Amino acid sequence: MTVFIIRRLMQSSVVVAVMSLLVFVGVNIVGDPVDMLINPEADQAEIERVMRDLGLDRPVHEQYGYFVVNALQGDLGKSFIFGEPALQLIVQRMPATFELAIAALLIAVVLGIPLGVIAGLRPGAPSSKAIMAGSILGFSLPSFWVGIMMIMLFAVMLGWLPSTGRGDTVPFLGMQVSFLTWDGLQHLLLPAINLSLFKLSLVIRLARAGTREVVHQDYIKFARAKGLSESRVVLVHLLKNIMIPVVTVLGLEFGGLVAFSVVTETVFAWPGMGKLIIDSLHELDRPVVVAYLMIVVLMFVIINLLVDIVYSVLDPRVRLQDARA
Amino acid sequence: MSVRTDRRAEAVAVETPFRRFASDFLESRIATVALAVFAVIAFIAVFAPWIAPTDPYDLAQVNVLDSHMPPGTEAFDGRVFWLGTDGAGRDLVSAICYGLRISLGVGVMSGVIAMAIGCAVGLAAAYFGGRVDTLIMRIVDIQLSFPSILVALVLLAVLGKGVDKILIALVTVQWAYYARTVRASALVERSKEYIDAASCLALGHRRILFRHLLPNCMPPLIVVVTVQTAHAIALEATLSFLGIGLPITEPSLGLLIANGFEYMLSMKYWISVYPGVALLVTIVSINLVGDQLRDVLNPRLQK
């Protein structure tokens, strides 16, 4: 077990190292670091001072060393546009993105599991076919276009909901959140649905596949034979057993929601990390881009590591297979 | 009576694997329609310059006075803008034809390159096994643990804009799926007798890999091709919409939708709705064809 964790930790460190090298090469070798890391409005003395600070007058391998040492200390440079440390900017936007991602996850679970179970209990019924057709659409529809259509329909034509922005926020556990105000909730609804559509389709498929498998198990037949009501069989015996794969996959998919929020946030002008990185890419605010990429990759590496470890605890075969390889 | 049995015998005699495959595929009405729709889309994409009513990027044929025309408006020279015009007065029907050409072109080209790389790597992993296999599959696993949009975002942030850059990003996103699929089926095929026979004949590695092993790994690969191509087209549209994909000189469907987005709030819905519908129909038709291919090619489902 310890060996397994050490192996995986080493693998994760390699991924982070490769990633930092890639970003470093991208910024410092492919492009001109003077253009990218120094404010274009700076004068000659300022440029020379920053170059010395960043160690740009040194050989490449020493520069990479500087970059790594600074990054480890949480110093990923200052934003040209905002003049604040890039890391701080991103941390400020995190609550907005996480709020959106969690809301989307909730929608996917609350709607997806019942729909999937219904489709799995009566696979031939027209309602089930409609649900499955809907889930195919959910997989195929490009989410940015659906977002635009939602704005057009609900905000522009019907005028029911606001089109963009985050609305009123209130402090909650030290973060600014919008789901506690009516205005904030209205602003949250469309982007959250938009972000959840893909995961919703996924949950429907998982729940349907699970239901179709579980329904033929002996313990379900036994529960029915005992004379339990249909609602109790479905809600207790069946639901408990299909939750395991659904919950596992959802845990894995949370990172995906954060990554895909780049699209939703841009469409709905939601002030989170995703919108920040797209704006920074357009404005060539390289320090923010570098900081965002490093943070999100680190987040993914940690999620993957935790999932691997949890799996190996739950299923020893994973661990054994890895040891053999 | 006897004539009829003869005919039937004849029909059975000429049944080739391809014909059986084709008739299985055409059993599903939805998939047949989807295939037909995709054929039409591909035809439009390939022959866009000859089919489109105007060349939307030839300034001589575009009149700024025609901008923001709703669908069905008649232009000054008597032409009808069936789907309206965009902010620069371009006919949307023509713009969509050209956009399909770029979207499909980029999607298919990235798919072909990714398939070539993925097949070579996956075959090598399965055929040589051992350390090569462990290393390759570890890289594949790690890459697949990141969502495609994040991988694309990293690459485009580092590389910048351009057709070649977006191709690199799309290929990087896709190759691992091909490698994994090819490796899985090649592992099964490798242990079969015809590969042993080929080895006994002292044929070269390359010949065994590409002439014997690869053709037998095709069925699952064909399914992955459809799914991944649809995925690549959607991803390119998304990246172009975000403004980090194709440059404005290559107006794909994603860019057309992005252009229309700014007119959305003033009710000029058609500029981004119709390119989106074209994108949607393309992706759905490819996915439906892929679904049916999976059913037809899956040996476990065969009657």
Side-chain angles (χ1 to χ4, degrees):
Chain A
M1 187 68 210
T2 326
V3 176
F4 174 81
I5 292 176
I6 292 171
R7 261 166 182 266
R8 279 295 141 104
L9 264 175
M10 275 163 54
Q11 186 186 318
S12 305
S13 335
V14 170
V15 173
V16 175
V18 168
M19 189 54 214
S20 72
L21 198 63
L22 184 70
V23 172
F24 174 79
V25 169
V27 175
N28 293 285
I29 315 281
V30 177
D32 181 357
V34 179
D35 285 350
M36 287 171 175
L37 291 173
I38 300 173
N39 195 328
E41 282 151 32
D43 57 14
Q44 194 57 39
E46 169 76 4
I47 288 178
E48 274 173 17
R49 192 186 63 74
V50 178
M51 274 187 78
R52 227 178 326 149
D53 274 5
L54 295 171
L56 292 181
D57 46 352
R58 288 162 192 270
V60 176
H61 61 273
E62 274 185 42
Q63 283 185 37
Y64 180 62
Y66 266 97
F67 171 76
V68 171
V69 170
N70 284 337
L72 286 176
Q73 291 166 348
D75 178 8
L76 291 161
K78 264 187 184 176
S79 160
F80 304 153
I81 312 288
F82 301 94
E84 288 176 50
L87 199 62
Q88 188 188 325
L89 269 176
I90 290 165
V91 172
Q92 279 169 0
R93 313 277 166 122
M94 254 182 195
T97 297
F98 282 152
E99 183 176 25
L100 187 61
I102 291 168
L105 200 62
L106 278 178
I107 293 173
V109 172
V110 170
L111 287 179
I113 291 178
L115 287 175
V117 170
I118 292 171
L121 285 176
R122 277 185 298 259
S127 60
S128 307
K129 283 188 178 156
I131 292 172
M132 291 320 287
S135 96
I136 291 180
L137 267 186
F139 272 120
S140 302
L141 287 165
S143 71
F144 72 97
W145 188 69
V146 180
I148 296 176
M149 293 301 108
M150 284 164 76
I151 292 181
M152 192 183 78
L153 188 63
F154 295 107
V156 179
M157 288 185 169
L158 298 171
W160 290 349
L161 292 163
S163 60
T164 52
R166 199 181 173 197
D168 296 339
T169 56
V170 287
F172 175 72
L173 298 177
M175 292 180 296
Q176 290 291 322
V177 296
S178 52
F179 72 95
L180 291 175
T181 64
W182 180 237
D183 183 53
L185 209 56
Q186 281 183 318
H187 279 88
L188 181 62
L189 189 61
L190 284 186
I193 292 176
N194 183 229
L195 186 57
S196 77
L197 279 182
F198 193 83
K199 301 300 171 215
L200 181 63
S201 312
L202 186 72
V203 173
I204 290 177
R205 293 200 159 202
L206 284 173
R208 175 174 174 269
T211 307
R212 292 190 68 178
E213 221 169 86
V214 169
V215 136
H216 299 293
Q217 299 289 325
D218 287 342
Y219 55 80
I220 297 287
K221 285 181 191 155
F222 181 69
R224 289 218 170 102
K226 261 197 317 193
L228 294 181
S229 69
E230 184 65 21
S231 63
R232 191 170 162 81
V233 173
V234 171
L235 292 179
V236 178
H237 294 76
L238 189 133
L239 209 53
K240 259 191 192 167
N241 285 290
I242 65 164
M243 283 310 273
I244 302 163
V246 173
V247 169
T248 328
V249 171
L250 283 180
L252 273 172
E253 293 289 333
F254 184 73
L257 279 174
V258 173
F260 270 96
S261 71
V262 168
V263 180
T264 303
E265 285 178 12
T266 305
V267 173
F268 290 91
W270 184 263
M273 301 195 289
K275 187 168 176 351
L276 180 70
I277 193 207
I278 296 297
D279 291 347
S280 304
L281 274 171
H282 287 308
E283 286 157 354
L284 299 176
D285 197 350
R286 284 279 170 154
V288 178
V289 173
V290 169
Y292 173 87
L293 294 179
M294 292 311 299
I295 287 176
V296 174
V297 168
L298 198 64
M299 192 181 87
F300 265 92
V301 167
I302 292 172
I303 292 178
N304 290 335
L305 183 68
L306 289 179
V307 169
D308 275 351
I309 291 174
V310 171
Y311 265 151
S312 78
V313 172
L314 295 178
D315 188 350
R317 279 175 301 181
V318 176
R319 197 160 73 221
L320 293 173
Q321 204 178 22
D322 195 72
R324 220 179 295 135
Chain B
M1 190 67 200
S2 70
V3 176
R4 199 181 285 169
T5 38
D6 279 350
R7 247 187 223 151
R8 196 177 296 159
E10 214 175 77
V12 171
V14 295
E15 191 190 64
T16 59
F18 178 75
R19 280 201 190 166
R20 191 168 56 229
F21 167 71
S23 74
D24 279 352
F25 182 88
L26 297 176
E27 254 177 32
S28 158
R29 211 178 297 160
I30 299 176
T32 312
V33 172
L35 187 65
V37 169
F38 180 70
V40 171
I41 290 173
F43 183 81
I44 293 174
V46 172
F47 296 101
W50 294 276
I51 292 173
T54 57
D55 179 352
Y57 305 103
D58 175 7
L59 290 176
Q61 294 184 37
V62 174
N63 193 336
V64 183
L65 292 174
D66 289 332
S67 63
H68 312 302
M69 292 292 179
T73 317
E74 207 171 302
F76 294 115
D77 55 4
R79 281 183 297 123
V80 178
F81 298 123
W82 293 111
L83 299 180
T85 59
D86 71 0
R90 289 184 279 248
D91 173 33
L92 269 180
V93 177
S94 314
I96 289 172
C97 293
Y98 278 77
L100 271 176
R101 187 181 169 86
I102 294 163
S103 289
L104 266 187
V106 171
V108 170
M109 205 192 294
S110 73
V112 170
I113 300 172
M115 184 166 75
I117 296 173
C119 282
V121 172
L123 276 181
Y127 191 73
F128 296 113
R131 294 218 163 164
V132 181
D133 186 29
T134 313
L135 180 70
I136 291 174
M137 291 325 288
R138 195 43 61 83
I139 295 173
V140 166
D141 282 346
I142 290 173
Q143 205 208 305
L144 291 182
S145 68
F146 293 95
S148 54
I149 192 145
L150 184 64
V151 176
L153 210 58
V154 170
L155 286 170
L156 291 172
V158 168
L159 298 172
K161 255 186 184 182
V163 180
D164 48 340
K165 274 98 178 188
I166 191 125
L167 271 178
I168 294 175
L170 292 178
V171 168
T172 312
V173 164
Q174 294 178 71
W175 76 275
Y177 291 95
Y178 289 106
R180 196 174 59 174
T181 311
V182 169
R183 173 183 175 267
S185 51
L187 274 182
V188 176
E189 295 295 326
R190 192 184 64 161
S191 55
K192 290 192 178 164
E193 279 170 1
Y194 68 89
I195 298 294
D196 290 342
S199 309
C200 290
L201 288 172
L203 299 178
H205 279 320
R206 196 187 305 167
R207 194 184 158 102
I208 297 179
L209 277 172
F210 290 104
R211 300 291 293 278
H212 297 255
L213 204 49
L214 188 58
N216 287 295
C217 300
M218 284 313 270
L221 198 59
I222 294 170
V223 177
V224 177
V225 169
T226 57
V227 174
Q228 286 304 314
T229 305
H231 186 72
I233 292 172
L235 188 61
E236 177 272 314
T238 306
L239 294 168
S240 297
F241 170 78
L242 292 175
I244 54 173
L246 291 171
I248 38 172
T249 50
E250 302 290 332
S252 72
L253 292 175
L255 277 171
L256 292 181
I257 297 170
N259 285 340
F261 188 37
E262 45 183 311
Y263 301 110
M264 180 66 70
L265 295 178
S266 49
M267 298 290 270
K268 298 191 175 70
Y269 64 91
W270 57 90
I271 306 176
S272 50
V273 168
Y274 294 122
V277 171
L279 180 65
L280 177 65
V281 171
T282 309
I283 295 173
V284 171
S285 66
I286 298 177
N287 277 344
L288 287 173
V289 170
D291 264 5
Q292 177 68 2
L293 282 176
R294 177 178 5 235
D295 291 350
V296 172
L297 293 173
N298 187 345
R300 271 177 297 176
L301 292 175
Q302 256 161 31
K303 291 145 269 179

